[in-house]
Amino acid sequence: MAAAPALKHWRTTLERVEKFVSPLYFTDCNLRGRLFGDSCPLAALSSFLTPERLPYQEAVQQDFRPAQVGDSFGPTWWTCWFRVELTIPEAWVGQEVHLRWESDGEGLVWRDGEPVQGLTKEGEKTSYILTDRLGEGDPRSLTLYVEVACNGLLGAGKGTMIAAPDPEKMFQVSRAELAVFHRDVHKLLVDLELLLGMAKGLGEDNQRSFQALYTANQIVNMCDPAQPETFPVAQALASKFFGQCGGESQHTIHAMGHCHIDTAWLWPFKETVRKCARSWVTAVQLMEQNPEFIFVCSQAQQLEWVKSLYPGLHARLQEFACRGQFVPVGGTWVEMDGNLPSGEAMVRQFLQGQNFFRQEFGKMCSEFWLPDTFGYSAQLPQIMRSCGIRHFLTQKLSWNLVNSFPVLKTVAKNRDKGRTNHSAFLFGFGDGGGGPTQSMVDRLKRLRNTDGLPRVSRTAPQGWETQAVVSLRVQLSSPGRLFSALESDSGQLCTWVGELFLELHNGTYTTHAQIKKGNRECERILHDVELLSSLALARSAQFLYPAAQLQDLWRLLLLNQFHDVVTGSCIQLVAEEAMCHYEDIRSHGNTLLSAAAAALCAGEPGPEGLLIVNTLPWKRTEVLALPRPGGAHSLALVTVPSIGYAPAPAPTSLQPVLPQQPVFVVQETDGSVTLDNGIIRVRLDPTGCLTSLVLVASGREAIAEGAVGNQFVLFDDVPLYWDAWDVMDYHLETRKPVLGQAGTLAVGTEGGMRGSAWFLLQISANSRLSQEVVLDVGCPYVRFHTEVHWHEAHKFLKVEFPARVRSPQATYEVQFGHLQRPTHYNTSWDWARFEVWAHRWMDLSEHGFGLALLNDSKYGASVRGSVLSLSLLRAPKAPDATADMGRHEFTYALMPHEGSFQDAGVIRAAYSLNFPLLALPAPGPAPAASWSAFSVSSPAVVLETVKQAETSPQGRTLVLRLYEAHGGHVDCWLHTSLPVQEAVLCDLLERRDPAGHLPLQDARLKLTFSPFQVRSLLLVLQPPPD
Ligand SMILES: [Zn+2]
């Protein structure tokens, strides 16, 4: 029995215990030094180095050369395969034997052709258990392979984490040997580390803290590292301490094993596939060894990768999902950004994700999982609910710089202390660190209910009764249990209305303009392909809807909406891959468009040539450039009905008497140019600035007195750390207008159908811009086609329009609707929104008049006072030093209007700018008459999507998605010329609403909407006459 404790001094006692478990000091005599016993070298080690990411079967057949500990390999992004031949000494019978492996990079152990465990120093995974007890007759010789990726957990940043990768990095194996592992020492180390943690965490003025330290000190007194027979008494002391329970009122922490894996970020997509395999195979091992351990896993795309490349691992995940230990969560294809994807794209994240989870794991997710995102659309709750999701988990709001949100964090930081007594705790190394470790699980097991700490709750495999779970005191929890506990307190929780604005990462609305442009274009292409293919399906018995191709293309687009790709916060390798993905979608999409157009034309006699298609749900009359023989183009004014087509006007009828006033273009002697189409009159000064924008009918001026619009401005853009992510409020203090040179403005198109003027602008010594300002017949907005050659460092380019409008609120388009944000900096909540995101339009309106700014590929915006500002280009240098350098092309447009933006048609104008009329070549005769498939009686309701129903791959059922865009309650009629057999409402996952049958009256359906409501319906079509 140890002597009675002497008078205790806090610091010396604490440090004494620390030294007893230290991996650095006194390992010759302390407990840590005994964790491993005897060791022996490998029988043989050889390696094979490759720039490729090879499959196992191919890799093991390569030429392996002898290798040894201390060898270097690389460079960055290469892979080194090690063949590990080993023989366990016979004397080790009865012992637990590990392969100890320490190397840079991320390793994966293969045994008998299957991946079995990840190895990363960064994720505290440096040993692989060969046997937990070597038996007499067990085979003692075997060959393993270790596949080591030449990148760290967070890529290969040169110097700092988010710096661009160092392509020359070399890697090294520093340990490869067999060793006897002492499990009893490990257990005691876990006890002591926890006691130390409690003593330090609870602090010197806490009674329980002293008890923890006293217990730890007693353990050190009693335990002789060289005498394992002293361990049980020591362990009993620890168990007694941890077994002292807390009271009923203790806070409950729901601990869930997790591994947040960014689908691409500081490493390319292909490395993510291997990160998933390494992490999940490690989780599988933990699930095997700890039946109460639950691992939650999000992102269908990652599971799909593992399914196709590691089928054995996928089958194991399915097994553990059946047992309730592996819990797929989130419901989405990837953890997408919460701001930039369109409403329809957000729906598809859930549609593709939920269908995958149901197919592979037998059920859909009930919680949306978005720990990491750069914002939260106000439409998320509606979209989630209609996709079978009731709960939401995130943590990013805790990053807010200015205002803190009432969200859950740790116990001390729980902002709802009086309202709920449960919180979530996700544990595990992310991004390829392999998730949780056995030590983490061991620690949590000891903390099931210990006085002085929150309770660590636990759940158990699905289907168990809640009551039984409580009495069993299993230790680890699941999302289901967390949310049901929170739900029981939901009556006491507060409600937040509108968007959850993240007061950080506002630069991601602008960074990597080409990715943003690719995203917007591909959203349009897939919209058009689905719509046109649906019409072809309805009209032609022979047409096969390209369901499989469309699923692939959608998944590719959704993949790139991951929260570090579409946001532009990725490395150059990823940005290049994203551009290839967009190019794939464009080229395949255009092929599919042509095929659908050909099917629509078939059987309709008419002139050969072009089919003019309108994929928007209202009639449009617009100027269109039509391709003419010999590669030329000619302008024509065409009218196309709602969701339908019209024959192209014959070349001879090209210059008809214009139904409206033609465009006049006048250049004054001072060099300024006026464009006038009878609706708006635009006046540009000799440098290209907008000095006047008048609504002709009323004579109302839209540009603020004494100010000019189309003013380009440069800002210094140096954030605190997160370069590609953050633009700080202080950048506004560095505003410098870019001044043009008089005499650069010239007339482009001279008027008639179209008038334009163009100019050049030197932005800086290295960057320049050219712009064509275009006004068409009958068009209510003026377009600014812009080309920029951009070569800057840490500069931000915007364009400003000071308006003759005053309002405390500006309106911005978001998914399926819009919301208002302040134009002033009254409070911290207001000024924290100095840079916000918008989709296709923003508007500043006062009573009776307003000015809208439309765009074809931008997302960053702001309105301060009366100045509308569109964010154009940034120049961050990390993690991609080449981000945004080079040539850009984009278009924005300005639309002054009377009345409200809703009544003036701003929303339709923004759609028109983004969905140009299509002039598709018809292989044979094109139809002679116009045709419309759908139209809607109310201008407030947008028919956003027409597609084939997922559930009937060869079937003749369409899904229509509509939403209320004005922000009001609406009753309206949907007209259709298609042969509809049955119409029924459905949810966003296309599941029929049993009470949702809609009667068809005179080829029309009645629909009702509440403000911004999204509704979907299934239309079962009659077979077409063959
Ligand atoms: Zn992330």
Side-chain angles (χ1 to χ4, degrees):
M1 188 66 199
L7 185 64
K8 283 297 157 214
H9 182 265
W10 171 268
R11 191 180 141 200
T12 55
T13 310
L14 193 78
E15 290 197 17
R16 177 195 187 200
V17 181
E18 280 177 342
K19 294 302 179 302
F20 194 65
V21 298
S22 168
L24 286 178
Y25 304 105
F26 304 109
T27 49
D28 60 321
C29 60
N30 74 3
L31 188 63
R32 176 80 58 182
R34 297 279 169 161
L35 184 57
F36 285 96
D38 292 346
S39 66
C40 86
L42 302 175
L45 182 67
S46 52
S47 70
F48 158 70
L49 193 61
T50 167
E52 319 275 331
R53 294 180 177 87
L54 296 178
Y56 171 86
Q57 290 302 347
E58 213 175 304
V60 299
Q61 282 162 27
Q62 305 299 319
D63 182 20
F64 281 71
R65 303 282 172 84
Q68 49 193 326
V69 174
D71 280 358
S72 282
F73 55 93
T76 313
W77 307 131
W78 284 46
T79 299
C80 194
W81 285 83
F82 290 92
R83 180 184 290 147
V84 176
E85 292 163 73
L86 55 90
T87 304
I88 305 173
E90 203 173 354
W92 291 1
V93 166
Q95 309 266 34
E96 177 169 340
V97 183
H98 289 196
L99 166 67
R100 297 187 73 188
W101 180 276
E102 286 174 32
S103 73
D104 304 318
E106 296 186 86
L108 176 63
V109 185
W110 291 81
R111 185 172 185 167
D112 304 326
E114 285 295 327
V116 287
Q117 194 200 289
L119 287 171
T120 59
K121 275 197 289 191
E122 291 163 291
E124 294 179 5
K125 292 168 189 77
T126 53
S127 87
Y128 167 67
I129 304 175
L130 291 165
T131 168
D132 54 8
R133 193 171 187 284
L134 184 68
E136 286 280 356
D138 289 353
R140 291 183 296 105
S141 291
L142 76 152
T143 300
L144 304 173
Y145 287 86
V146 182
E147 174 190 8
V148 183
C150 296
N151 56 263
L153 197 143
L154 293 170
K158 191 170 191 170
T160 72
M161 178 184 89
I162 62 165
D166 176 0
E168 304 300 332
K169 223 172 223 183
M170 292 303 285
F171 297 73
Q172 199 184 29
V173 199
S174 48
R175 184 197 293 273
E177 64 182 18
L178 303 187
V180 170
F181 182 79
H182 293 139
R183 183 63 57 182
D184 49 358
V185 171
H186 166 81
K187 286 180 178 164
L188 213 45
L189 284 171
V190 170
D191 288 335
L192 283 166
E193 280 168 350
L194 270 179
L195 290 167
L196 269 176
M198 278 184 75
K200 284 198 264 190
L202 294 172
E204 281 186 67
D205 50 4
N206 180 293
Q207 176 74 28
R208 190 68 176 151
S209 159
F210 270 91
Q211 291 170 359
L213 187 58
Y214 177 85
T215 305
N217 189 58
Q218 283 294 86
I219 290 175
V220 178
N221 285 339
M222 287 179 178
C223 164
D224 179 349
Q227 311 260 322
E229 57 275 19
T230 62
F231 294 177
V233 190
Q235 223 151 27
L237 264 182
S239 300
K240 186 177 163 208
F241 175 88
F242 292 122
Q244 291 166 337
C245 296
E248 280 288 296
S249 66
Q250 251 177 316
H251 186 80
T252 301
I253 283 184
H254 296 256
M256 295 168 254
H258 184 50
C259 178
H260 175 74
I261 301 181
D262 289 297
T263 297
W265 179 28
L266 302 172
W267 54 87
F269 288 102
K270 286 206 171 86
E271 196 51 49
T272 308
V273 180
R274 299 202 296 186
K275 282 175 182 284
C276 294
R278 291 190 282 262
S279 300
W280 299 347
V281 82
T282 308
V284 161
Q285 211 186 36
L286 276 182
M287 289 187 276
E288 270 169 356
Q289 285 155 11
N290 307 272
E292 71 278 53
F293 169 68
I294 288 172
F295 184 76
V296 296
C297 181
S298 65
Q299 312 198 63
Q301 168 73 84
Q302 296 184 0
L303 288 156
E304 201 260 349
W305 280 334
V306 164
K307 183 189 171 192
S308 56
L309 291 163
Y310 303 86
L313 172 57
H314 181 68
R316 306 260 18 228
L317 296 177
Q318 286 176 317
E319 268 171 49
F320 282 101
C322 286
R323 292 193 217 164
Q325 277 187 270
F326 182 78
V327 182
V329 292
T332 50
W333 189 246
V334 298
E335 288 180 11
M336 72 283 197
D337 177 55
N339 300 328
L340 310 184
S342 69
E344 187 59 32
M346 280 200 171
V347 170
R348 300 308 174 91
Q349 285 285 352
F350 287 100
L351 185 66
Q352 291 296 329
Q354 290 285 49
N355 284 342
F356 180 87
F357 289 121
R358 188 170 40 91
Q359 268 164 29
E360 299 298 327
F361 299 97
K363 60 185 264 194
M364 296 200 199
C365 306
S366 58
E367 64 295 292
F368 181 32
W369 194 266
L370 203 61
D372 193 11
T373 176
F374 306 158
Y376 309 82
S377 165
Q379 273 289 13
L380 270 175
Q382 179 182 199
I383 294 174
M384 281 158 49
R385 222 174 280 136
S386 188
C387 290
I389 304 270
R390 290 159 49 96
H391 306 123
F392 179 46
L393 181 141
T394 189
Q395 60 85 36
K396 195 75 176 190
L397 278 169
S398 63
W399 285 42
N400 262 16
L401 277 185
V402 182
N403 299 290
S404 40
F405 263 88
V407 291
L408 299 171
K409 216 177 164 188
T410 59
V411 191
K413 290 179 181 166
N414 177 6
R415 301 187 53 86
D416 279 332
K417 285 192 186 71
R419 301 179 186 276
T420 184
N421 212 5
H422 297 267
S423 57
F425 173 56
L426 303 180
F427 65 98
F429 290 96
D431 281 334
T437 63
Q438 182 64 49
S439 297
M440 291 176 181
V441 176
D442 289 344
R443 267 176 242 152
L444 289 165
K445 280 185 188 172
R446 288 176 180 53
L447 296 182
R448 73 185 71 189
N449 185 354
T450 286
D451 187 22
L453 288 185
R455 272 199 293 187
V456 178
S457 175
R458 52 251 155 122
T459 291
Q462 289 148 8
W464 291 22
E465 288 303 314
T466 311
Q467 217 34 55
V469 171
V470 171
S471 61
L472 277 170
R473 294 206 175 279
V474 191
Q475 290 191 339
L476 304 157
S477 191
S478 73
R481 192 164 144 63
L482 165 72
F483 285 114
S484 74
L486 288 176
E487 214 161 37
S488 63
D489 292 335
S490 65
Q492 303 186 64
L493 298 178
C494 302
T495 301
W496 184 271
V497 174
E499 69 179 328
L500 299 171
F501 185 79
L502 185 72
E503 295 172 353
L504 201 75
H505 295 357
N506 322 33
T508 61
Y509 319 148
T510 305
T511 304
H512 258 302
Q514 299 286 16
I515 293 181
K516 267 78 174 168
K517 187 175 173 165
N519 179 64
R520 183 78 65 85
E521 277 184 14
C522 291
E523 286 178 345
R524 169 183 63 78
I525 288 169
L526 295 185
H527 168 276
D528 287 357
V529 171
E530 285 187 334
L531 184 139
L532 219 54
S533 302
S534 299
L535 302 191
L537 180 74
R539 295 283 296 275
S540 157
Q542 282 78 41
F543 182 75
L544 286 179
Y545 188 91
Q549 289 112 300
L550 272 166
Q551 169 162 299
D552 290 348
L553 297 179
W554 261 113
R555 287 181 169 186
L556 201 53
L557 178 62
L558 299 178
L559 171 63
N560 292 281
Q561 289 179 342
F562 178 73
H563 62 253
D564 283 308
V565 181
V566 73
T567 52
S569 53
C570 51
I571 58 172
Q572 187 184 354
L573 266 180
V574 177
E576 287 167 0
E577 286 180 288
M579 296 315 290
C580 291
H581 293 156
Y582 293 133
E583 193 43 49
D584 274 2
I585 298 172
R586 274 190 206 105
S587 68
H588 284 100
N590 285 330
T591 307
L592 294 176
L593 271 181
S594 302
L600 268 178
C601 293
E604 292 252 347
E608 196 162 323
L610 290 171
L611 189 67
I612 313 295
V613 175
N614 172 16
T615 59
L616 296 179
W618 44 80
K619 182 174 150 187
R620 291 158 75 185
T621 299
E622 289 174 17
V623 175
L624 186 62
L626 296 178
R628 295 296 176 195
H633 283 76
S634 61
L635 294 180
L637 188 67
V638 294
T639 296
V640 193
S642 165
I643 303 195
Y645 58 68
T652 47
S653 65
L654 263 189
Q655 294 297 333
V657 179
L658 290 171
Q660 284 135 318
Q661 182 189 314
V663 183
F664 292 110
V665 181
V666 179
Q667 183 152 34
E668 311 288 343
T669 47
D670 67 353
S672 64
V673 171
T674 301
L675 310 170
D676 187 336
N677 68 357
I679 302 169
I680 55 178
R681 185 164 60 241
V682 181
R683 197 181 158 89
L684 300 161
D685 77 7
T687 70
C689 281
L690 185 64
T691 50
S692 171
L693 177 63
V694 169
L695 268 181
V696 174
S698 62
R700 169 75 195 240
E701 173 64 56
I703 299 298
E705 208 177 329
V708 294
N710 204 32
Q711 174 69 61
F712 292 92
V713 282
L714 266 185
F715 299 86
D716 293 342
D717 186 11
V718 186
L720 297 177
Y721 175 71
W722 295 99
D723 202 357
W725 291 258
D726 289 353
V727 56
M728 306 303 295
D729 53 355
Y730 53 74
H731 84 284
L732 294 170
E733 297 171 32
T734 66
R735 178 181 177 277
K736 288 177 195 67
V738 181
L739 301 176
Q741 280 197 322
T744 56
L745 188 69
V747 172
T749 309
E750 291 189 338
M753 205 76 82
R754 170 173 290 170
S756 75
W758 66 276
F759 63 93
L760 299 169
L761 181 66
Q762 196 69 36
I763 299 170
S764 71
N766 300 316
S767 301
R768 64 181 197 279
L769 172 156
S770 67
Q771 193 173 62
E772 188 182 18
V773 184
V774 183
L775 189 61
D776 281 354
V777 159
C779 188
Y781 52 85
V782 55
R783 302 197 302 274
F784 301 80
H785 295 303
T786 315
E787 185 190 12
V788 185
H789 291 266
W790 181 247
H791 300 279
E792 299 294 330
H794 295 114
K795 297 286 176 194
F796 198 158
L797 180 70
K798 304 185 187 182
V799 65
E800 294 179 347
F801 294 92
R804 193 166 162 252
V805 176
R806 189 199 311 208
S807 170
Q809 308 275 342
T811 309
Y812 301 84
E813 192 194 27
V814 302
Q815 294 82 359
F816 298 127
H818 55 262
L819 51 78
Q820 293 181 324
R821 302 187 182 108
T823 59
H824 54 76
Y825 291 179
N826 282 0
T827 69
S828 62
W829 291 88
D830 300 328
W831 69 253
R833 286 184 278 180
F834 58 87
E835 173 82 10
V836 298
W837 58 275
H839 285 183
R840 293 162 293 201
W841 59 269
M842 59 201 276
D843 179 83
L844 184 68
S845 285
E846 61 187 27
H847 174 67
F849 185 82
L851 184 60
L853 181 51
L854 326 174
N855 75 81
D856 75 345
S857 59
K858 298 296 169 192
Y859 295 89
S862 63
V863 180
R864 187 180 180 189
S866 292
V867 181
L868 291 91
S869 170
L870 187 66
S871 301
L872 303 176
L873 294 167
R874 292 186 72 216
K877 298 298 167 194
D880 178 1
T882 67
D884 278 325
M885 295 303 98
R887 184 175 170 277
H888 298 270
E889 249 188 276
F890 49 84
T891 296
Y892 52 85
L894 206 55
M895 177 173 170
H897 61 84
E898 302 236 278
S900 69
F901 68 85
Q902 290 99 330
D903 294 338
V906 165
I907 299 171
R908 287 186 170 190
Y911 265 98
S912 292
L913 184 72
N914 279 273
F915 291 83
L917 292 172
L918 305 173
L920 298 171
S930 298
W931 176 74
S932 164
F934 296 103
S935 61
V936 186
S937 67
S938 165
V941 173
V942 178
L943 171 48
E944 171 72 31
T945 297
V946 181
K947 67 184 282 285
Q948 190 192 44
E950 300 282 315
T951 43
S952 61
Q954 292 313 316
R956 312 189 64 77
T957 302
L958 299 184
V959 171
L960 268 58
R961 185 143 29 253
L962 307 97
Y963 72 96
E964 198 288 321
H966 286 181
H969 287 88
V970 176
D971 296 335
C972 73
W973 293 97
L974 169 72
H975 298 253
T976 179
S977 64
L978 301 187
V980 174
Q981 209 164 49
E982 187 197 2
V984 58
L985 291 169
C986 63
D987 68 5
L988 292 178
L989 299 181
E990 305 179 5
R991 296 176 296 191
R992 280 166 175 256
D993 174 353
H997 273 273
L998 298 171
L1000 194 70
Q1001 305 165 20
D1002 306 328
R1004 50 183 209 164
L1005 299 163
K1006 189 172 187 187
L1007 295 167
T1008 61
F1009 290 84
S1010 52
F1012 306 122
Q1013 188 180 9
V1014 182
R1015 306 210 80 158
S1016 307
L1017 46 131
L1018 294 163
L1019 293 186
V1020 182
L1021 301 177
Q1022 289 160 11
D1026 205 297

